[in-house]
């Protein structure tokens, strides 16, 4: 297990990157003050570590205001395509264990848990598109309702033809162009 602590340089570089992205994309969080976010992050090293993981895997996390969060701010992966460091994953451990051969290195659900983040839902995925076009060439596993998962399936989304589409696949499938987007409450 990786050490969940950042060096002083990693912390500073991450905060600088997050602040720059925050200031460049004010439409995602119009009424939010960066100084408040930074104070919360500095008081929560575990959250900084998770954001570092999001950044390192290509997620380009940023604060996105989709709905009131009772004192929380939520960072979402805002990379144009699904994060490169989180692709070629089947949906969850059960699906991974069911594969007889050619198992991927990890699962989307396990990797999210290891990073200390949550996978986004289909509704959150759809709402995220009010702030841009995401996954025009890739696709993203999203949280799958139990009634679908219990039958061996999982759902994923992408953005084509100016619209978000939701599809289904066997939860044990994995593709080089499919990963997952996460979120982190701070």
């Amino acid at each position: 297990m990786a050490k969940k602590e950042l060096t002083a340089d990693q912390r500073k570089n991450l905060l600088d990157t997050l602040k720059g992205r925050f200031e460049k994309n004010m439409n995602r969080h119009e009424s939010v003050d960066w100084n408040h976010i930074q104070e919360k992050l500095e008081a929560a090293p575990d959250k900084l570590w998770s954001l570092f993981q999001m950044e390192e895997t290509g997620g380009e996390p940023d604060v996105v205001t989709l709905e009131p969060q009772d004192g929380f701010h939520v960072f979402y992966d805002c990379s144009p395509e699904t994060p490169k460091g989180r692709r070629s994953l089947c949906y969850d451990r059960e699906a991974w264990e069911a594969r007889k051969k050619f198992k991927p290195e990890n699962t989307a659900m396990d990797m999210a848990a290891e990073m200390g983040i949550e996978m986004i839902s289909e509704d959150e995925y759809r709402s995220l598109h009010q702030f841009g076009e995401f996954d025009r060439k890739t696709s993203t596993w999203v949280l799958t309702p139990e009634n679908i998962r219990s039958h061996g399936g999982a759902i994923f989304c992408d953005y084509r033809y100016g619209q978000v589409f939701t599809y289904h696949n066997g939860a044990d499938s994995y593709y080089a162009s499919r990963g997952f987007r996460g979120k982190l409450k701070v």
Side-chain angles (χ1 to χ4, degrees):
M1 180 84 129
K3 186 177 174 185
K4 294 186 176 188
E5 210 172 287
L6 301 181
T7 67
D9 281 347
Q10 287 173 324
R11 188 178 148 282
K12 182 191 179 318
N13 291 338
L14 177 62
L15 287 171
D16 289 347
T17 298
L18 294 173
K19 181 180 182 185
R21 187 174 297 128
F22 181 91
E23 291 172 346
K24 184 179 176 185
N25 297 286
M26 291 304 294
N27 64 312
R28 296 177 182 162
H29 39 253
E30 291 176 354
S31 61
V32 179
D33 175 45
W34 172 255
N35 293 326
H36 178 68
I37 300 288
Q38 186 165 338
E39 285 174 17
K40 290 176 91 171
L41 289 174
E42 288 174 343
D46 58 320
K47 302 287 185 181
L48 272 174
W49 183 86
S50 292
L51 284 167
F52 183 78
Q53 300 307 305
M54 291 172 80
E55 188 68 33
E56 287 292 293
T57 55
E60 300 180 23
D62 193 12
V63 176
V64 178
T65 305
L66 296 181
E67 58 187 53
Q69 292 290 328
D70 300 325
F72 289 99
H73 297 290
V74 184
F75 280 85
Y76 286 86
D77 285 311
C78 293
S79 55
E81 301 300 334
T82 196
K84 284 186 179 183
R86 294 187 240 152
R87 296 182 190 170
S88 295
L89 308 167
C90 60
Y91 183 75
D92 61 12
R93 179 64 38 185
E94 179 184 344
W96 186 88
E97 289 175 354
R99 288 190 69 89
K100 301 293 183 224
K101 53 185 173 175
F102 306 117
K103 293 184 181 200
E105 287 185 31
N106 206 343
T107 78
M109 293 293 284
D110 287 348
M111 190 172 192
E114 291 163 10
M115 294 171 65
I117 64 175
E118 299 174 56
M119 285 179 48
I120 64 173
S121 69
E122 178 185 1
D123 288 343
E124 290 166 327
Y125 186 87
R126 289 180 179 284
S127 294
L128 189 60
H129 281 79
Q130 68 186 294
F131 300 105
E133 296 179 354
F134 304 97
D135 296 327
R136 293 177 65 184
K137 298 175 187 170
T138 58
S139 61
T140 295
W141 287 118
V142 294
L143 285 176
T144 298
E146 183 54 36
N147 65 324
I148 295 172
R149 187 62 197 94
S150 67
H151 292 287
I155 59 174
F156 65 97
C157 299
D158 65 20
Y159 184 82
R160 305 290 192 273
Y161 311 109
Q163 180 174 320
V164 171
F165 288 91
T166 301
Y167 310 89
H168 61 89
N169 216 184
D172 63 340
S173 66
Y174 64 97
Y175 301 92
S177 63
R178 183 174 310 147
F180 74 93
R181 290 179 182 274
K183 67 179 182 178
L184 178 71
K185 291 182 182 179
V186 177

